[in-house]
Structures are given as C-alpha cells and as structure tokens.
Amino acid sequence: MGTAKTSAFLDPGHLTSHDSLAIVQLSRDNLVPLILHESESAVDGYAEGAVLNTRYGSFPHSTMVGVPWGSQIRASKVDTGSRGRKRKRKEDDDDSKVSTPAAAAAAADDQDSTSNPAPAKKAVVAASGFVHILPPTPELWTRSLPHRTQVVYTPDYSYILQRIRARPGSRLIEAGAGSGSFTHASVRAVYNGYPETDDDRRGKVYSYEFNEARYLQMKEEIKAHRLEGLVQLTHRDAYSGGFLVDGKSPEADAVFLDLPAPWEALPHLSRSRPTGKDFEDKFKDMEGEWVSPLNPKTAAYICTFSPCIEQVQRTIRAMRQLGWVEIDMIEVSQKFLSVVRDGLTLNSQPGKKAPPEPTNVEEAVGRQREIEKRSREYNALQTPGKSGSATAADSPAQGNPMDLDTANDEDGTAVDETTTGGSGDVDPDAEGDDDDAEKQGRHARKPWKQGRLVHRSESEIKTHTSYLVFATLPREWTEADEEAALARWPCGMERAVVGDLDKETRKREKREMLASKKHRKKEKQDRRDRRHDALVVADTPTTSDVASAT
C-alpha cells in the first residue's frame, strides 16, 4: 500500500521534480500552484511543451524542473508552433462538401503534427521577466489554493493543531473539508510515514465533505499531491451519517468540526450511545452495538469553528450534555505591520508626508532618466555581443545589474549616492565649511530615496475570524482499568497518611528525622577529617628521607 514518492508537502527535497506540485511566486501576494509536467513534445501548440503564461512572461515547465527550490526562473521566448495556425472549423454533416485548398493544407498540417509529434524544443531565455519557484507548504497552499469555501488561515489552524494535541502518529477527524487548507496542515502535523499495509497504524486524517462537487475536487487534489494513504476522504453528511469508516472506528485522538451546526454532529462523537430526550429521535433507527469513532485508550480533544456567537452557545450546551469538559472559547486575531519609507521631497515641510507626484518637472525628468539608464544597462547585459552593449564595469555594482542603490565611478569603484549629487561625480567643494557640508548632505540623496522608516498597521484583518471552542472528552474508564490501577497503586496499604497522626507523634517524628540528619552530617565530617589526616601524614618527610637529602 506504500506510495512510490513522498508528497512535496512532507519532503520536497532539494530540487524540483516533474509531476510534483510547486508554488510559483509572481509577486509578494500573487502565488500560483502548479503541477510541473515533463513534456516530450509540443503541448497546446507550444513547441517547448507545457508553458505557464503570466503577465511577467511565459515560463516552460522544462525550465522549472531540476532546479533548487527558491530559484529565480527567467522568462522564455516560446514558439507557438501550430497554435497560431489553428482555426475554428464548423462541423458539417455533409462529408462530400468541398473545402478550399488552404483549409485542406492546414488540416493536413494539424493531422501530421498530431500523428507525428516533434520533440520539445529547448527554451530560449527572454530579455526580461522572472518568477521564483517555492516548495509547497501548508502556509503557501493556504494563500494560493482555489477558494471553494471560506478557508481556515494559518493563524487559526496553527493554534488549533496545538490545542487539540495533533502530533506524529495521531488520528484526526475533520468534518467540512471545504477548500482543503486545514487538511494539508493537519496531514503535516500527524505524518509519521506512509502505511505499508491496511493494518499499519500511522498518523492519518479522516476528512468528511457533504458537497459532492467539493468532494470530487478535493479528491483530485489529494491524488495530485501524493497524499493518498494519509487522508481518508469520505462523501457524507456528518449530521446523520456519523464518522465511522466502513462500519469501523477511526479511533481518533483529535477532532475538528468546521460545520454550520456542530451540535448536530457532536452526538456521534460519544463513548457510548447518547441518552436523553434530545437524542432519542436521532438514534431511534440505529441497531446493533454502539461503535465510537474515538480512541478508547486516550482522551479526545475537539475544536469547533463557528463565526456566530449563537452557534457557540448551542455547541457548548450540547458539549455539556454529552460529558465534554474543560470547555473554553478563543478568538484569534491577526494584523500585519508593514514597514515602509516615509518619503519626503526637498520642498516638503518637516512632519508632512510627501505627495505621490514629483514636486516639479526637474524631479520627474531626473527620475525618469535614471530609470531609463538602468534599463539600458540591464538589457545590454542580457544580450552580450550586441554592438554598443554595456560591459559589467559600466553597470551598477560592477556586474550586479539588480543593485540600484550604488553607482560606479570611471575606475569601477562604487560610490555611495548619499555623498554625491546623484550622477556619480563628487562635489569638489564637499570639504568646505560646515554650512556647505550640511547643505550638500541634505541635497545629496535623490528625492525619492529620502525619508525615514515607519511602520503602519493594516486597516482590516484579512483572516476569516471565527470563534474556536475547545473541549476534552476523558478516556473511557472500565472495571478492568480500575483493577489494573489498583494492582499497580494499591489503595489502603499506605505506610503514612498526611493528617492521620496526632500532634505529639508528628513532633517526635520530626525530632527523630533531625537527629538522623545531624548524625549523618557528623559521620560525613569525621570521614573528611580522617582523609585529611592521612594526607598530612603522607606528606610529612621521615628521618631517612632527611638523612638522604643532607
């Protein structure tokens, strides 16, 4: 039953591999999940094989396979091949209808390319555009997954997994799989290896989803992410169907309920058949012996995820009726603090923020000229051998075209722009009087690079805030457990019990204890004195030793 390859969520390795999930980072908050395919021929008309098209360029999958995680991937010039020649043809039931020679030639080319596919071309690097390729983690998956429902974000599920004691080897029940955010995080928490056989007890997640469309989509993702054997996905209504798998207990240690009405599913999470008027109708048609989905040898920990306080009240009421203890409610709040530079222009008053536009035409033209200069230097480095191209010495930081904070003088040495006028030339009057030096220091840096670093908190919380209700269900305690405990810790055979002696007896025992302690201390001191005397005797010279010395 073991799987050939470990999921990239659990062990991504050092390099990317084909048929594995990767996270492509287009920008800071723009992440794209992508299955890397190995193409031996053209795909969708692209001669380079499978291609990812973005606003930053085209990226063949072949350029993203076999590279270290975190690498920067340059855009490529893709050959569309037959993609640009394909035409829409109307279906016609009359096969005898004569087509034009051009259409017949195009159809023959398409048929020939389909029957005899050419091998995939090697990608050619483009002049600009790049992305970064990152290993898949539950945190990145939460930010990039296709939203089918509201998702459980990282601040919530990290705290939930800690509170419900999810650890390697645990078995966890999840009701309401939704978009799969919590599923991937919980798999990583309970993972301790893939099961070799059906009877091999390993950490596992038992997930239940009522919506069929979400269930099918989630099933495809579990297979694509190589999590089969670690996630048992079931299409079921947990309110009426419970949490058994083929009539057997999952023996779960932890439970997470992301349901609109958690109190409807709680009766199925009991050690024995619930009794009382509130549960008679729910289990009146159930026959046979009660099977609990919880592990009978350990305590069970649960968390419910509810957005409304009315849901919390009904959930807690049901928990108390069913014997859950240590009930409490938590709300997790998250807020980002962004650190930015509070830019000030030359003409800005102290304490005021800079306007979004330049204050005059000179500032706008100066900034645009610098941007164009950096762009020419960078593009020239990407196309070596071209006439008029710049060398590494002409570029910023000597060969590092991405470094825009320093410039180079004529002999190649870096010059800090804070001490120049922005053009790389040092002011000959820089060593003048203090007033001139202060004035030059104030005007040396470019206006858009001035300002102090400040932090600002975002105006809204981007997480889906909900109330988290935690509770504990003690383990089932039977007569056999009681007998085993009595055999290990006998009751009634204690040698001394606190409070069983009178005052005089306690005083006597205290005096005896102090006397014994004093006696042991005296014996220890005597042994130390005897050892010291023996050392003194050994170091004292004898008469024969004195005679031989003289």
Side-chain angles (χ1 to χ4, degrees), residues 70-369:
S71 298
Q72 183 187 91
I73 307 299
R74 295 290 306 278
S76 301
K77 300 177 181 178
V78 298
D79 182 4
T80 58
S82 62
R83 185 181 183 88
R85 300 193 302 268
K86 286 186 177 179
R87 304 172 181 175
K88 294 184 179 179
R89 299 181 178 88
K90 298 182 180 180
E91 296 182 358
D92 194 348
D93 296 336
D94 188 5
D95 296 334
S96 62
K97 188 175 181 179
V98 180
S99 62
T100 62
D109 291 344
D110 293 343
Q111 184 176 3
D112 182 68
S113 62
T114 305
S115 58
N116 299 316
K121 288 180 57 178
K122 185 177 180 180
V124 179
V125 178
S128 62
F130 64 88
V131 295
H132 291 88
I133 188 164
L134 307 177
T137 62
E139 292 77 15
L140 294 179
W141 177 248
T142 299
R143 294 172 54 189
S144 61
L145 58 79
H147 284 223
R148 299 182 287 269
T149 60
Q150 285 282 8
V151 302
V152 183
Y153 288 93
T154 302
D156 289 317
Y157 69 61
S158 58
Y159 182 73
I160 292 170
L161 292 172
Q162 182 266 334
R163 285 293 302 269
I164 62 178
R165 276 74 165 176
R167 56 191 181 276
S170 299
R171 293 199 165 193
L172 188 145
I173 288 177
E174 177 199 16
S179 299
S181 172
F182 185 83
T183 307
H184 287 76
S186 57
V187 166
R188 182 182 61 179
V190 305
Y191 173 73
N192 66 338
Y194 284 85
E196 299 294 338
T197 62
D198 293 337
D199 298 331
D200 188 8
R201 181 182 175 89
R202 299 274 186 167
K204 196 171 184 178
V205 176
Y206 294 86
S207 185
Y208 300 84
E209 177 56 50
F210 171 72
N211 185 276
E212 184 177 4
R214 292 197 293 265
Y215 161 76
L216 295 176
Q217 184 65 27
M218 184 73 179
K219 191 173 182 179
E220 292 179 2
E221 290 177 353
I222 293 300
K223 183 178 180 180
H225 299 169
R226 300 172 183 168
L227 295 176
E228 292 179 310
L230 303 177
V231 178
Q232 178 84 28
L233 190 62
T234 305
H235 179 219
R236 180 186 302 170
D237 182 7
Y239 296 155
S240 58
F243 301 98
L244 301 183
V245 180
D246 298 330
K248 298 181 180 179
S249 172
E251 295 186 354
D253 313 303
V255 182
F256 176 68
L257 302 181
D258 186 6
L259 302 172
W263 58 90
E264 294 290 345
L266 280 173
H268 295 281
L269 298 168
S270 301
R271 303 287 188 187
S272 57
R273 189 191 303 271
T275 57
K277 61 180 181 178
D278 294 337
F279 310 110
E280 289 178 354
D281 296 338
K282 198 173 188 65
F283 302 105
K284 63 180 180 179
D285 298 331
M286 184 175 292
E287 299 179 355
E289 186 179 357
W290 174 268
V291 179
S292 174
L294 304 178
N295 189 348
K297 298 181 180 180
T298 60
Y301 302 92
I302 191 174
C303 174
T304 64
F305 192 82
S306 304
C308 301
I309 196 64
E310 291 80 8
Q311 295 171 302
V312 172
Q313 292 173 346
R314 296 194 62 177
T315 301
I316 293 178
R317 188 182 305 115
M319 285 180 173
R320 288 171 176 168
Q321 291 176 342
L322 295 170
W324 293 83
V325 297
E326 298 179 355
I327 303 173
D328 62 346
M329 185 192 75
I330 301 293
E331 182 182 12
V332 178
S333 297
Q334 177 196 15
K335 180 169 289 190
F336 287 103
L337 296 177
S338 60
V339 180
V340 296
R341 185 173 293 280
D342 189 9
L344 298 175
T345 59
L346 296 178
N347 300 327
S348 299
Q349 296 297 327
K352 291 187 177 182
K353 296 182 180 178
E357 303 88 6
T359 56
N360 52 49
V361 177
E362 263 185 46
E363 284 188 15
V365 172
R367 183 174 185 180
Q368 187 62 29
R369 284 178 177 173

Side-chain angles (χ1 to χ4, degrees), residues 47-68:
E48 289 80 6
V51 174
L52 171 67
N53 290 307
T54 71
R55 60 183 295 185
Y56 303 102
S58 299
F59 301 88
H61 289 204
S62 58
T63 62
M64 295 184 280
V65 175
V67 299

